[in-house]
Amino acid sequence: MAHLPVIFIPVCFLLLVAWPSFTAATTLEELQLQLNQLSKNYKILEEKVAKLEIALHVAKESAGKSSISRTCRDTRLADPSLSSGMYWIDPDGQGVGDDPIYVFCNMTTGSTAVPHDSESPTDVGHCADPGCYSKAVKYVASSRQMLALAHLSAQCYQSIKYDCNYAPLKLNDVTYAWWNDKNGNPQYFWAGNNNRVHICQCGIDGNCVDPATKCNCDAAAPIQLSDEGVVTKKDVLPITKLNFGRTQLETSSGVHTLGPFECTGQVAVNRMPSSCEDLWKTGHTLSGLYSLMGVSMVESVYCDFSKLPHESGFQKWVGFVDIKSSPTFFYVRRKGRFDKLNTPIPFDHVMLNAGGAMNWATGIFTAPRTGKYFFSASGMAAYPKASSRLYLDINIYKNGHSIAIGGSDSYSSHWTVESFTLQAISDLQKGDRIWLAIGGKAGSGYIYENGFFHFTGFLLEEAVSVSLRAPN
């Protein structure tokens, strides 16, 4: 009754304006003309009221646009008490991209159905050539919104049926019928997801009326037949045009029925986001810089959510983010002399040992995280006077294998001290061990005392992806 004043007042006004005063000379013909005019006025008013109602509904929806779900599945999750029916959704994101779309939501399954203008059975008429009948399919949604819906959904599909009487889809290697996919490309499969072959559901099931064909209609029999199937190849849907031919005979007939574009399920992101698309799928719509999980390190990227994932510029790589789950660096020194061969060199002074990975008493560092590490050692080697060459090799060992070598030598008639230095960068797995040792020498040289021997190391770059998978 809320609309009664809106309808009643204009009707009365129209009646007063349109109905002239009667005279004795008024004829039956004139009355009929006046009645026709009143009828036209009423229809105009009725159309205006209907448009106002639609505008009011859209205005209410627009006012609450920020709360519109992206799919029917999300709508059902937000309110499980809702019944199946028509709802507004916004697949490409709230507040960005194209306007929301009005779709049918199946609240039992959570599926989204996008209606179009070709759902009713439609006769293709009579014509002879391949694709001589052609009908473009007009959806209530933009192609952008339907593409976004497909990106968000686990499955998308569309049913199609062709009732035929001596109207083959393909005959004698001539293709008379096909449909166009979302990109306008011709497709010749009428069920399933194999777009490399001409086939219908009976061909998939192996029960076509003519075993030599892949579709019932291809039997080209003068009897009523039908091919009905569901196209499930998501990346080519929706169907945008239908094309049929070879129905020129009086006895030939073809009627197509195309179901709505339907999507269901969700493409789940069950891990740390590794792309802007992952963020988009989880509901992010604010463009900006984001930190994402790369192959091994955290990366910084710019996400432009005004675009869809397949569009150029949607994601722009910026650089790496230096993240370490725990600080790891050390600096140890040794003051006493050391001359043992192939033995880890212990230390007697700890200057730094963040993370506690360096056991200074044994001289062994154990990697606490998988990643890239840097090590450096320097010191002095002392040599007595000798008549032949003396040398001392210092090695950095990784799990018993030398990864770096440095040292010094001497050939002098008096006692000398020579410096040495060595560095290494190495990829280590958690638990790998690093130490210094004298790997070789000639004569009685030794590592000089008085605190000139230094060993440092630190984590350069952590393989964060590995650390996240490791148990705590």
Side-chain angles (χ1 to χ4, degrees), residues 347-360:
F347 296 86
D348 44 31
H349 282 74
V350 180
M351 313 305 292
L352 292 169
N353 193 16
M358 180 63 183
N359 186 329
W360 58 271

Side-chain angles (χ1 to χ4, degrees), residues 93-115:
Q94 300 170 6
V96 298
D98 291 355
D99 290 337
I101 57 177
Y102 202 44
V103 300
F104 180 81
C105 292
N106 185 325
M107 292 306 178
T108 301
T109 62
S111 65
T112 302
V114 182

Side-chain angles (χ1 to χ4, degrees), residues 23-199:
T23 66
T26 301
T27 66
L28 183 62
E29 183 178 351
E30 289 173 336
L31 287 173
Q32 185 63 47
L33 289 173
Q34 292 167 9
L35 183 61
N36 290 341
Q37 185 61 45
L38 284 174
S39 178
K40 290 179 182 179
N41 290 341
Y42 180 80
K43 287 182 179 179
I44 292 172
L45 178 62
E46 191 176 40
E47 289 175 359
K48 287 183 177 181
V49 171
K51 289 180 180 178
L52 284 172
E53 288 178 339
I54 293 173
L56 179 61
H57 183 75
V58 171
K60 288 180 179 179
E61 292 290 350
S62 298
K65 186 175 180 180
S66 61
S67 63
I68 296 178
S69 300
R70 302 177 77 184
T71 67
C72 290
R73 179 183 182 277
D74 293 343
T75 302
R76 183 179 67 165
L77 289 174
D79 187 354
S81 68
L82 293 174
S83 58
S84 297
M86 299 298 292
Y87 292 86
W88 291 93
I89 62 170
D90 197 358
D92 69 351
Q94 300 170 6
V96 298
D98 291 355
D99 290 337
I101 57 177
Y102 202 44
V103 300
F104 180 81
C105 292
N106 185 325
M107 292 306 178
T108 301
T109 62
S111 65
T112 302
V114 182
H116 58 78
D117 65 348
S118 302
E119 294 184 36
S120 300
T122 304
D123 196 316
V124 304
H126 295 284
C127 61
D129 296 330
C132 53
Y133 167 88
S134 184
K135 179 174 177 57
V137 183
K138 296 181 181 179
Y139 292 86
V140 300
S142 66
S143 58
R144 175 189 172 92
Q145 287 284 35
M146 289 189 289
L147 185 60
L149 176 62
H151 272 300
L152 293 168
S153 306
Q155 301 95 27
C156 291
Y157 46 89
Q158 195 162 11
S159 65
I160 186 167
K161 181 182 181 183
Y162 189 55
D163 295 307
C164 56
N165 190 326
Y166 205 58
L169 303 172
K170 184 177 182 180
L171 182 67
N172 298 328
D173 293 328
V174 178
T175 299
Y176 289 95
W178 63 90
W179 53 270
N180 295 93
D181 63 22
K182 66 180 182 183
N183 298 316
N185 299 318
Q187 300 290 343
Y188 307 97
F189 70 110
W190 302 88
N193 62 3
N194 187 355
N195 64 336
R196 297 186 299 273
V197 297
H198 165 75
I199 199 166

Side-chain angles (χ1 to χ4, degrees), residues 163-167 209 216-217 219-226 251 253:
D163 295 307
C164 56
N165 190 326
Y166 205 58
V209 293
N216 287 323
C217 291
I223 57 173
Q224 190 65 39
L225 296 172
S226 179
T251 56
S253 66

Side-chain angles (χ1 to χ4, degrees), residues 113-373:
V114 182
H116 58 78
D117 65 348
S118 302
E119 294 184 36
S120 300
T122 304
D123 196 316
V124 304
H126 295 284
C127 61
D129 296 330
C132 53
Y133 167 88
S134 184
K135 179 174 177 57
V137 183
K138 296 181 181 179
Y139 292 86
V140 300
S142 66
S143 58
R144 175 189 172 92
Q145 287 284 35
M146 289 189 289
L147 185 60
L149 176 62
H151 272 300
L152 293 168
S153 306
Q155 301 95 27
C156 291
Y157 46 89
Q158 195 162 11
S159 65
I160 186 167
K161 181 182 181 183
Y162 189 55
D163 295 307
C164 56
N165 190 326
Y166 205 58
L169 303 172
K170 184 177 182 180
L171 182 67
N172 298 328
D173 293 328
V174 178
T175 299
Y176 289 95
W178 63 90
W179 53 270
N180 295 93
D181 63 22
K182 66 180 182 183
N183 298 316
N185 299 318
Q187 300 290 343
Y188 307 97
F189 70 110
W190 302 88
N193 62 3
N194 187 355
N195 64 336
R196 297 186 299 273
V197 297
H198 165 75
I199 199 166
C200 297
Q201 188 61 49
C202 70
I204 296 173
D205 297 337
N207 58 6
C208 295
V209 293
D210 182 351
T213 64
K214 297 297 182 181
C215 295
N216 287 323
C217 291
D218 291 351
I223 57 173
Q224 190 65 39
L225 296 172
S226 179
D227 280 302
E228 184 173 5
V230 178
V231 177
T232 59
K233 193 171 181 62
K234 183 175 78 168
D235 56 355
V236 301
L237 292 173
I239 295 172
T240 58
K241 185 183 286 188
L242 297 169
N243 311 276
F244 296 93
R246 208 183 184 282
T247 56
Q248 72 272 30
L249 300 178
E250 285 295 326
T251 56
S252 298
S253 66
V255 176
H256 65 72
T257 307
L258 181 65
F261 175 54
E262 297 188 63
C263 292
T264 188
Q266 179 187 32
V267 179
V269 180
N270 297 320
R271 61 181 186 283
M272 287 193 67
S274 61
S275 66
C276 293
E277 183 172 357
D278 286 348
L279 295 176
W280 179 82
K281 287 176 180 176
T282 56
H284 287 268
T285 58
L286 181 63
S287 298
L289 290 172
Y290 289 86
S291 294
L292 300 170
M293 190 66 249
V295 176
S296 60
M297 297 181 63
V298 175
E299 300 177 4
S300 179
V301 300
Y302 178 79
C303 300
D304 184 355
F305 290 121
S306 67
K307 303 178 182 295
L308 290 181
H310 73 286
E311 295 177 333
S312 176
F314 176 72
Q315 176 174 317
K316 183 178 180 180
W317 189 82
V318 177
F320 292 104
V321 181
D322 187 16
I323 293 180
K324 298 179 177 68
S325 56
S326 63
T328 303
F329 53 88
F330 69 88
Y331 170 30
V332 293
R333 296 169 58 186
R334 180 179 176 85
K335 287 190 174 182
R337 73 162 60 187
F338 190 84
D339 60 0
K340 294 180 180 179
L341 196 65
N342 298 322
T343 302
I345 301 172
F347 296 86
D348 44 31
H349 282 74
V350 180
M351 313 305 292
L352 292 169
N353 193 16
M358 180 63 183
N359 186 329
W360 58 271
T362 64
I364 297 176
F365 170 84
T366 303
R369 294 284 187 273
T370 297
K372 197 178 297 295
Y373 290 79

Side-chain angles (χ1 to χ4, degrees), residues 383-390 410-416 442-444:
Y383 300 98
K385 63 180 181 178
S387 57
S388 60
R389 176 179 175 269
L390 303 178
S410 175
Y411 185 80
S412 177
S413 59
H414 57 273
W415 185 84
T416 59
S444 55

